[in-house]
């Protein structure tokens, strides 16, 4: 059975039904084996004020001690003046699949009296990673390219229950075109269920009002209904109201769960009825990690690369992707080469004439200077000759010369 499809570019695509097994349906297995062999890498940035549980959430997400236990800092008068950028890289393995996980932390964000430009060091760091990757792309040898671009940014919102603060809006407005923003409500166990729902609505309203783009899961043509419904459910939880904890407690039935214990009960981290942690982990790790990396590379990085190269004056040649006739192309190149030679010949002639005229002008000027000097010397010689003839006539006529002149000439008239 044959189906004919006309593409938008004018190319006709024929869909043919195979008469038997060929084998290219095994391509996904080949990709799987290669991926397992080479491993995966993912870079996640966490941003938020101190004390919102960023380190605890990262440890809870990957169920390992990525962040070491923090030691209480000693009191000091020296306070940092800018936001720091710290990276921690950890190799994790699960069922034979290796993941190199890099977490980028931003201690100091939102902790100053004046937080007007707290976002700037973070934006500079993200763009510097783009620049480093662009520099690697321009190398002659690109075999070992290191991708340290930020693939996702978890932005922790303080659980005030009111609305986004000006610092939250300014940060997301500045960075939403450079990184996949995933807003999360930190320490959601401090809010009631009704307060969480209302807070989420206010946050989404503020995001829409300021035209901020947060990460949205892509929809594919061949997704089944179950996958589409699952993605829709995950996206409906944004911003995720999360609770992080790596401590385990025993609940009814003897089960041990991760959570936080309160006098009235235990908040279970992995219970979807208590918080959105499971949905956040599902989107960030289990279902959309590759989509986050692809969107970073295909959209965010490409937009930055285009802006960067355009600012440098590099423009895309529209003729590169056009289909051309080879004979016509050779003829155009021959004509262009002949025009270039003719232009070079004309330029050489003009330069030669200019050099000749300059030389002639210098020779003419030298000739005039020599003529003027010759005339001056001739006049001086004529003047000297007239003076000498005058002196000779006086001597011949017997006229005595003045004493001064006689002394100079060595004559004596007293003898």
């Amino acid at each position: 059975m044959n189906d004919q499809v006309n593409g938008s570019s004018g190319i006709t695509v024929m869909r043919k039904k195979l008469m038997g097994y060929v084998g290219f349906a095994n391509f996904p297995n080949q990709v799987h084996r290669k991926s397992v062999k080479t491993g995966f890498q993912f870079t996640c940035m966490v941003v938020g004020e101190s004390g919102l549980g960023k380190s605890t959430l990262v440890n809870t997400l990957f169920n390992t001690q990525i962040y070491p236990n923090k030691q209480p800092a000693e009191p000091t008068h020296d306070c940092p003046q800018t936001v720091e950028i710290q990276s921690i890289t950890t190799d994790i393995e699960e069922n034979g699949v290796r993941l190199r996980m890099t977490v980028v932390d931003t201690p100091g964000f939102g902790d100053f009296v004046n937080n007007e430009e707290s976002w700037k060091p973070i934006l500079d760091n993200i763009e510097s990673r783009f620049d480093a990757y662009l520099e690697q792309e321009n190398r002659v040898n690109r075999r070992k390219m290191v991708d340290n671009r930020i693939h996702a940014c978890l932005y922790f919102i303080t659980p005030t229950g009111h609305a986004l603060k000006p610092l939250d809006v300014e940060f997301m407005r500045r960075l939403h075109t450079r990184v996949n923003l995933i807003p999360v409500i930190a320490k959601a166990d401090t809010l009631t269920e009704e307060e969480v729902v209302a807070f989420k609505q206010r946050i989404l309203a503020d995001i829409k009002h300021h035209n901020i783009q947060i990460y949205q899961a892509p929809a594919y043509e061949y997704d089944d209904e179950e996958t589409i419904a699952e993605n829709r459910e995950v996206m409906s939880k944004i911003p995720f109201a999360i609770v992080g904890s790596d401590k385990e407690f025993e609940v009814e039935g003897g089960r041990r769960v991760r959570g936080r214990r309160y006098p009235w009960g235990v908040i279970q981290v992995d219970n979807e009825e208590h918080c959105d942690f499971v949905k956040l982990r599902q989107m960030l790790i289990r279902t959309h990690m590759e989509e986050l990396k692809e969107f970073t590379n295909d959209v965010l990085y490409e937009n930055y690369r285009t802006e960067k190269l355009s600012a440098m004056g590099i423009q895309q040649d529209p003729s590169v992707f056009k289909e051309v006739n080879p004979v016509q192309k050779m003829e155009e190149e021959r004509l262009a080469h002949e025009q270039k030679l003719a232009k070079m010949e004309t330029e050489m002639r003009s330069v030669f004439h200019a050099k000749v005229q300059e030389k002639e002008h210098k020779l003419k000027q030298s000739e005039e200077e020599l003529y003027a000097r010759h005339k001056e010397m001739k006049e001086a010689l004529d003047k000297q000759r007239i003076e000498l003839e005058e002196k000779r006539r006086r001597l011949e006529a017997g006229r005595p010369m003045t004493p001064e002149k006689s002394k100079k000439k060595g004559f004596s008239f007293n003898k």
Side-chain angles (χ1 to χ4, degrees), residues 27 35 68 72 83 132 137 151 178 183 194 197 251 254 301 314 324 349 359 361 403 413:
F27 286 167
S35 300
V83 177
E137 282 188 333
H151 300 125
R178 294 289 185 260
E194 293 77 11
V197 173
V251 295
Y301 170 70
I314 302 176
V324 296
R349 285 183 178 179
K359 195 69 174 178
H361 177 72
F413 291 97

Side-chain angles (χ1 to χ4, degrees), residues 27-229:
F27 286 167
N29 296 330
Q30 299 179 31
V31 175
H32 173 74
R33 288 197 302 269
K34 180 181 177 182
S35 300
V36 171
K37 179 180 179 181
T38 58
F40 299 87
Q41 62 177 10
F42 189 74
T43 304
C44 179
M45 174 178 281
V46 290
V47 182
E49 300 177 12
S50 299
L52 293 181
K54 301 187 294 294
S55 303
T56 303
L57 177 65
V58 171
N59 291 339
T60 309
L61 276 172
F62 294 94
N63 201 19
T64 186
Q65 198 75 11
I66 293 180
Y67 272 95
N69 294 326
K70 292 185 177 180
Q71 301 296 331
E74 297 181 358
T76 178
H77 294 287
D78 299 330
C79 298
Q81 300 298 321
T82 58
V83 177
E84 299 180 18
I85 307 295
Q86 299 177 353
S87 298
I88 298 178
T89 302
T90 306
D91 290 331
I92 310 172
E93 184 171 346
E94 181 183 36
N95 296 331
V97 178
R98 291 178 290 109
L99 171 66
R100 171 157 290 186
M101 181 68 192
T102 301
V103 179
V104 182
D105 198 0
T106 57
F109 177 82
D111 297 340
F112 308 112
V113 176
N114 183 7
N115 296 299
E116 185 176 354
E117 292 190 352
S118 294
W119 52 267
K120 196 172 187 307
I122 301 174
L123 178 62
D124 293 341
N125 181 266
I126 293 174
E127 292 185 345
S128 68
R129 293 168 182 265
F130 281 163
D131 291 333
Y133 194 82
L134 178 60
E135 190 271 335
Q136 292 181 89
E137 282 188 333
N138 294 330
R139 290 178 183 174
V140 176
N141 186 355
R142 302 188 300 177
R143 293 179 181 177
K144 296 183 179 180
M145 293 182 62
V146 179
D147 183 9
N148 64 349
R149 296 171 294 181
I150 304 296
H151 300 125
C153 175
L154 296 179
Y155 184 72
F156 287 69
I157 301 172
T158 307
T160 60
H162 302 295
L164 291 176
K165 296 187 295 185
L167 177 61
D168 302 330
V169 174
E170 185 67 14
F171 175 85
M172 291 193 285
R173 192 177 64 85
R174 294 281 186 174
L175 271 74
H176 73 107
T177 59
R178 294 289 185 260
V179 70
N180 291 310
L181 279 177
I182 303 175
V184 297
I185 302 173
K187 296 187 174 181
D189 51 338
T190 60
L191 302 174
T192 64
E193 293 183 3
E194 293 77 11
E195 289 174 339
V196 169
V197 173
F199 194 29
K200 284 187 175 184
Q201 292 175 354
R202 293 191 189 100
I203 292 174
L204 293 176
D206 289 343
I207 289 175
K208 182 179 180 181
H209 175 73
H210 292 92
N211 296 322
I212 297 172
Q213 178 183 352
I214 59 176
Y215 177 73
Q216 297 292 331
Y220 298 104
E221 180 181 358
Y222 299 105
D223 284 345
D224 53 28
E225 294 183 359
E226 183 180 355
T227 303
I228 295 174

Side-chain angles (χ1 to χ4, degrees), residues 324-334:
V324 296
N325 186 346
V327 178
Q328 182 180 0
K329 185 68 175 179
M330 291 177 60
E331 183 67 18
E332 292 177 355
E333 292 178 353
R334 184 184 65 81

Side-chain angles (χ1 to χ4, degrees), residues 250-388:
E250 187 173 341
V251 295
E252 295 180 1
R255 293 186 304 111
R256 297 192 62 83
V257 297
R258 295 185 300 176
R260 294 182 177 273
R261 182 184 293 277
Y262 292 94
W264 42 264
V266 176
I267 291 288
Q268 299 180 22
V269 172
D270 298 293
N271 191 335
E272 295 187 33
E273 296 181 357
H274 292 183
C275 67
D276 299 330
F277 172 80
V278 174
K279 294 300 182 185
L280 173 62
R281 181 179 60 188
Q282 180 179 347
M283 186 201 73
L284 191 64
I285 302 175
R286 297 182 178 178
T287 59
H288 292 89
M289 179 178 283
E290 281 302 311
E291 277 77 4
L292 288 165
K293 295 174 65 175
E294 287 180 3
F295 190 82
T296 299
N297 182 73
D298 300 341
V299 179
L300 300 175
Y301 170 70
E302 282 300 319
N303 291 340
Y304 176 81
R305 180 177 178 273
T306 302
E307 294 175 8
K308 188 80 172 182
L309 297 180
S310 298
M312 295 170 60
I314 302 176
Q315 300 293 334
Q316 175 66 49
D317 185 2
S319 63
V320 173
F321 303 102
K322 289 184 178 179
E323 295 184 2
V324 296
N325 186 346
V327 178
Q328 182 180 0
K329 185 68 175 179
M330 291 177 60
E331 183 67 18
E332 292 177 355
E333 292 178 353
R334 184 184 65 81
L335 294 175
H337 183 65
E338 291 180 354
Q339 292 176 358
K340 184 177 180 180
L341 291 177
K343 183 180 179 181
M344 291 176 60
E345 185 179 358
T346 303
E347 292 177 353
M348 292 177 64
R349 285 183 178 179
S350 62
V351 171
F352 176 75
H353 287 309
K355 293 288 185 181
V356 170
Q357 290 179 358
E358 183 181 359
K359 195 69 174 178
E360 289 179 349
H361 177 72
K362 289 184 178 180
L363 291 174
K364 186 176 181 180
Q365 186 177 1
S366 300
E367 184 180 0
E368 292 177 353
E369 291 177 355
L370 290 173
Y371 178 75
R373 192 180 302 173
H374 172 72
K375 183 178 180 181
E376 183 180 352
M377 294 177 63
K378 183 179 180 182
E379 291 177 351
L381 289 174
D382 290 342
K383 185 177 180 181
Q384 290 181 4
R385 182 176 59 78
I386 292 173
E387 291 178 354
L388 290 174

